[in-house]
Amino acid sequence: MSTEDQIAPLSPKTSPATPTITTFTQRKESNSSSEDNRQDSWELVEDLQGLTGNIQKPEKQEGLLLKKRKWPMKGWHKRYFLLERGILTYAKTGTDLKKGRLRGRIDVGLSVMAMKKKSMCIDLDTEDSIYHLKAKTRDLFEQWVTQLRHHRTFRQNEITMEPPERPLQSDPTANRRVFTLLIQSCYWPKSTKPIMTQMFSTDQEVLVGSRPLRQQVSSESRGSIPESLSEFFDAKEYLLSGSSSENEASDDDSYVSDVSDSTSVEFCRNENGVAKEILSNGNNCAVTRRDHLPSTRMNESVNLWSILRSNIGKDLSKVAMPVQLNEPLNTLQRLCEEVEYCHLLDTAANTHDPHMRMVYIAAFAVSSYACSFTRAGGKPFNPILGETYECLRPDTGIHFIAEQVSHHPPVSACHCKSKNYTFWQDVRWKNKFWGKSMEIVPMGVTHLELFADRYEWSKVTSCIHNILSGRRWIEHYGEISVKHSTTMGDVSLCKSRSGGLNANEVEGMVTDSNGRVIHSLFGKWNEALYLGKPPSATCIWRANPMPEDHEQYYGFTQFAIELNELEEGLKPLLPLTDTRFRPDQRLLEEGDIAGAEEQKERIEVLQRERRRVLQENNITHSPRFFKRAEDDSWVSNGTYWDLRKDPGFSKLEFPVLW
């Protein structure tokens, strides 16, 4: 993202799926009164406030605009746009547009629209993607904004007034059509005239004027995601793909083939089941890890828009969200999930060919995103400053420790070691709310040491779609460049469409020091990664099968289910700052939402009080187990595991976090 976009305030956009409560007039009251400040902020284009039959048909508008691409060839690129009857289509050139070679199609009536006058930017947040447009001149910007406003109003009125063309049951696109409807004003504050869009469904009718429209109950509390397309390990696979005119990321040819899965099972699965925990007295204790959470997810509705509305322009990491939006895991534990497939690092450490070693490291970098596929419905708990988490797994040989080392900005640091490798990173985020979607842009570098060799890579952007209503889904896009002194691995997580044939695709290559391609990789970040070219490609990594009832348990993988488990034999070995002692997270896991909310508020009050005391006494917080390196990253200070043994955390003083 550009520097301008990174430092811009969160876009305070409304959505056809939400009541039009926040207007530009209201925002001006809280913003600076200067014209420069107003032009440098995002202005919302309001939704249609009522039904009318006399909106004049708008004139056709066409011409060149700049469009930002996130992957590949990221940056601003010229595209030829045509706006007609509220539908915005675009192609590479005007000639391509006339020939029907479209790169995308946007229904502006169903999009959240905002603009920034100073930079002449226009943003359209649709169900499937976020489109960033820019005009080259002020006159051209004003012209497009005027036309988009008119077309948007015309299209919203047209959608609301038009009757269904065919019975719902026979409409193959019914589950993807969205209609604007008025809902009873008692549901929202009486001073507003709400407009809401919902997914088209076959049950629960709502009347708009004299026409019935059908409304689907929002699944935001469940966060349901289509199940993985892959089967089990020995099945022959068919990775279908096709170009999508609505997804510009599919400009390049994508991999299409049936792929023979010729890899042996040990590359694809981890060891699960009974593990042994080493106790303080040196004895081994057999531990049978749980296979489900104590309680299923409690479905309680939350008016998320009312929360976001009151926090427009703020960093959402500083906003206290209701506990119902959380999953019973912590950000520190989410970092631990990234080492679920650490067997890939063991394989890399035992591989003598440096280029094949890079293949397994690239697969490990991709595998860290697999757990997010079914998790768009909830957010992890924000760690408290000084909170820690350890994961000691004799079955995989890892010693993992994480700590929240900074509160503002929030920074989580982790360190994982085994006999074959050392893995560490600190993670910081910037987030942007675009009206329907939220982009999460991670910062920081991931480090890996395999004996004398060191590797580094950065994370890609994640985007959660349909934040306010409908089925939430997540996509990751960008490039992961794994760097080494002699080899390089570039892995691209393709920008995708929800449910499309090319959804969640990954492609990459391993090159030598001269840039020559040695190995090619492809697959899907939520399913598997293959080495070579179809149909003779070999499976390097495959995601573990999901538990049968995972949708009822926050979409957790088996590995995630085990992370917050607190065995009796482990309690005396952990510091009191360990996440597993955190009461609000524990109560949510047990299904006690009211108790979890009460404890969450109490813990947040304690944190604010500790911070006040530190500021009044001019004291800077010092992390217990991490230190700041010369490059401003956070690294382990090497004390955790020694302190765990002697004298033991029970004999040390820790701040009271909860």
Side-chain angles (χ1 to χ4, degrees):
M1 304 182 76
S2 66
T3 303
E4 178 183 57
D5 283 342
Q6 288 182 0
I7 63 176
L10 300 181
S11 301
K13 302 184 179 180
T14 57
S15 166
T18 60
T20 53
I21 297 171
T22 304
T23 65
F24 183 54
T25 303
Q26 292 171 323
R27 291 190 65 243
K28 287 195 291 187
E29 296 173 1
S30 60
N31 288 343
S32 169
S33 58
S34 70
E35 181 64 23
D36 288 342
N37 284 347
R38 286 200 299 268
Q39 289 195 357
D40 199 32
S41 61
W42 288 100
E43 176 184 349
L44 288 173
V45 177
E46 296 184 32
D47 292 330
L48 179 68
Q49 296 293 324
L51 303 181
T52 175
N54 353 331
I55 297 182
Q56 184 178 0
K57 178 182 175 182
E59 296 181 359
K60 183 168 64 173
Q61 170 82 9
E62 60 183 312
L64 288 172
L65 289 172
L66 296 177
K67 174 184 173 294
K68 179 180 280 188
R69 293 189 64 180
K70 299 168 187 172
W71 183 95
M73 298 170 58
K74 58 185 177 181
W76 294 98
H77 297 263
K78 286 183 180 179
R79 294 293 181 262
Y80 195 89
F81 287 83
L82 171 64
L83 179 61
E84 191 169 16
R85 294 184 65 91
I87 304 298
L88 183 65
T89 54
Y90 69 95
K92 203 165 188 178
T93 64
T95 302
D96 284 352
L97 189 102
K98 291 178 181 178
K99 292 182 178 180
R101 298 172 182 169
L102 301 181
R103 295 295 178 91
R105 179 183 184 277
I106 307 166
D107 190 331
V108 296
L110 299 177
S111 304
V112 177
M113 178 180 167
M115 57 187 177
K116 186 185 287 187
K117 291 183 179 179
K118 187 173 183 179
S119 56
M120 297 182 290
C121 290
I122 303 169
D123 287 342
L124 296 168
D125 189 353
T126 71
E127 178 187 357
D128 293 322
S129 191
I130 306 167
Y131 295 85
H132 305 283
L133 311 179
K134 181 187 285 190
K136 276 196 167 183
T137 67
R138 180 67 55 189
D139 289 342
L140 188 61
F141 171 76
E142 297 291 348
Q143 185 181 19
W144 272 100
V145 166
T146 300
Q147 288 294 339
L148 281 167
R149 285 181 183 271
H150 191 183
H151 280 259
R152 190 166 182 269
T153 302
F154 172 83
R155 177 62 180 149
Q156 287 186 349
N157 186 71
E158 183 180 59
I159 291 172
T160 307
M161 298 295 293
E162 68 182 8
E165 297 180 358
R166 57 177 67 89
L168 295 178
Q169 291 81 356
S170 62
D171 187 351
T173 61
N175 64 337
R176 295 189 61 82
R177 299 190 62 188
V178 185
F179 285 85
T180 304
L181 58 120
L182 298 174
I183 58 175
Q184 299 177 3
S185 59
C186 63
Y187 185 77
W188 302 97
K190 293 183 179 179
S191 61
T192 66
K193 294 182 179 179
I195 291 182
M196 171 172 275
T197 57
Q198 292 287 356
M199 302 292 286
F200 214 43
S201 179
T202 58
D203 51 4
Q204 193 186 38
E205 286 191 356
V206 179
L207 291 178
V208 179
S210 60
R211 292 185 171 85
L213 296 180
R214 297 183 182 271
Q215 178 186 17
Q216 174 182 318
V217 178
S218 171
S219 60
E220 71 174 52
S221 61
R222 291 180 61 246
S224 58
I225 297 292
E227 292 194 13
S228 172
L229 301 178
S230 66
E231 293 296 330
F232 294 98
F233 302 105
D234 298 325
K236 186 173 182 179
E237 303 214 343
Y238 296 87
L239 293 185
L240 301 178
S241 176
S243 61
S244 168
S245 63
E246 297 186 13
N247 182 4
E248 191 170 1
S250 62
D251 286 352
D252 301 331
D253 292 336
S254 84
Y255 43 86
V256 185
S257 79
D258 56 328
V259 181
S260 175
D261 186 354
S262 58
T263 291
S264 56
V265 173
E266 56 264 26
F267 283 122
C268 302
R269 68 169 95 197
N270 285 339
E271 297 178 11
N272 291 318
V274 177
K276 288 190 174 181
E277 186 68 55
I278 302 176
L279 302 181
S280 57
N281 58 9
N283 295 328
N284 290 339
C285 176
V287 176
T288 302
R289 302 191 182 277
R290 65 187 185 184
D291 57 6
H292 63 277
L293 299 178
S295 173
T296 58
R297 182 167 191 165
M298 301 289 105
N299 292 325
E300 291 196 10
S301 60
V302 176
N303 189 346
L304 182 57
W305 173 248
S306 66
I307 301 168
L308 295 175
R309 177 192 65 194
S310 61
N311 290 286
I312 283 174
K314 297 180 181 178
D315 183 346
L316 294 187
S317 65
K318 301 178 182 179
V319 176
M321 295 288 189
V323 76
Q324 295 99 313
L325 299 179
N326 285 20
E327 60 181 22
L329 279 183
N330 189 285
T331 296
L332 302 179
Q333 293 166 314
R334 288 294 294 266
L335 290 180
C336 188
E337 284 193 79
E338 296 186 14
V339 299
E340 176 177 358
Y341 299 97
C342 58
H343 65 284
L344 291 166
L345 298 183
D346 290 319
T347 304
N350 293 308
T351 300
H352 298 292
D353 182 345
H355 301 110
M356 275 304 298
R357 191 180 306 131
M358 181 65 82
V359 167
Y360 290 108
I361 295 172
F364 173 77
V366 170
S367 72
S368 66
Y369 296 92
C371 65
S372 67
F373 183 66
T374 55
R375 302 273 281 285
K379 63 177 288 291
F381 278 81
N382 294 328
I384 303 299
L385 183 62
E387 187 170 347
T388 62
Y389 177 73
E390 79 158 56
C391 183
L392 180 61
R393 295 290 295 251
D395 54 338
T396 58
I398 67 169
H399 291 64
F400 177 95
I401 172 63
E403 181 177 3
Q404 190 71 4
V405 296
S406 174
H407 183 54
H408 288 315
V411 181
S412 305
C414 71
H415 184 271
C416 181
K417 68 175 182 178
S418 80
K419 64 179 181 179
N420 291 322
Y421 60 84
T422 303
F423 168 87
W424 73 96
Q425 63 177 326
D426 63 78
V427 181
R428 319 159 196 208
W429 295 269
K430 286 187 178 180
N431 52 54
K432 282 197 171 186
F433 176 56
W434 295 103
K436 284 189 176 183
S437 313
M438 180 183 294
E439 280 188 317
I440 303 168
V441 184
M443 294 164 286
V445 178
T446 302
H447 305 266
L448 172 69
E449 277 188 358
L450 294 178
F451 305 115
D453 291 330
R454 177 175 290 191
Y455 302 82
E456 297 179 348
W457 65 90
S458 299
K459 298 178 181 293
V460 299
T461 298
S462 301
C463 186
I464 303 175
H465 294 271
N466 296 332
I467 288 287
L468 298 174
S469 68
R471 189 204 68 202
R472 290 182 189 169
W473 60 281
I474 190 168
E475 67 173 337
H476 308 285
Y477 40 78
E479 297 176 351
I480 302 173
S481 291
V482 184
K483 299 178 181 179
H484 181 258
S485 57
T486 59
T487 55
M488 176 77 73
D490 290 317
V491 182
S492 299
L493 282 74
C494 307
K495 192 175 186 314
S496 60
R497 290 176 52 82
S498 173
L501 292 178
N502 64 334
N504 310 326
E505 287 185 356
V506 179
E507 57 186 19
M509 61 186 67
V510 174
T511 61
D512 60 16
S513 57
N514 297 319
R516 184 170 61 96
V517 177
I518 307 299
H519 295 297
S520 296
L521 300 166
F522 69 94
K524 295 192 176 186
W525 56 260
N526 62 311
E527 292 185 7
L529 194 66
Y530 296 86
L531 171 67
K533 296 188 184 264
S536 59
T538 300
C539 178
I540 294 298
W541 161 80
R542 187 185 303 283
N544 289 326
M546 293 295 296
E548 291 184 2
D549 52 357
H550 66 274
E551 289 187 350
Q552 300 179 45
Y553 294 97
Y554 300 89
F556 281 7
T557 63
Q558 177 58 39
F559 189 77
I561 288 172
E562 301 168 1
L563 289 178
N564 203 48
E565 187 174 13
L566 184 57
E567 305 91 359
E568 286 298 322
L570 188 59
K571 287 183 179 180
L573 305 179
L574 298 175
L576 294 178
T577 54
D578 192 279
T579 294
R580 279 162 287 197
F581 293 122
R582 184 168 173 166
D584 52 353
Q585 185 171 314
R586 181 67 59 191
L587 288 170
L588 180 63
E589 182 184 90
E590 295 170 353
D592 184 355
I593 292 180
E597 185 65 49
E598 180 181 353
Q599 289 294 324
K600 180 174 179 289
E601 292 177 2
R602 184 183 65 83
I603 291 171
E604 289 169 350
V605 169
L606 283 174
Q607 177 166 241
R608 287 192 291 269
E609 180 62 22
R610 282 194 307 275
R611 190 180 183 198
R612 183 186 64 80
V613 171
L614 289 176
Q615 289 177 338
E616 290 178 352
N617 292 276
N618 198 26
I619 299 174
T620 302
H621 171 78
S622 297
R624 192 66 176 264
F625 306 112
F626 287 82
K627 62 183 179 181
R628 194 188 292 270
E630 293 182 358
D631 61 357
D632 202 36
S633 64
W634 289 91
V635 298
S636 169
N637 61 18
T639 63
Y640 184 89
W641 299 106
D642 288 336
L643 289 173
R644 190 182 193 269
K645 294 184 294 186
D646 185 17
F649 296 128
S650 62
K651 301 177 182 178
L652 300 178
E653 290 187 3
F654 288 91
V656 179
L657 301 185
W658 35 71

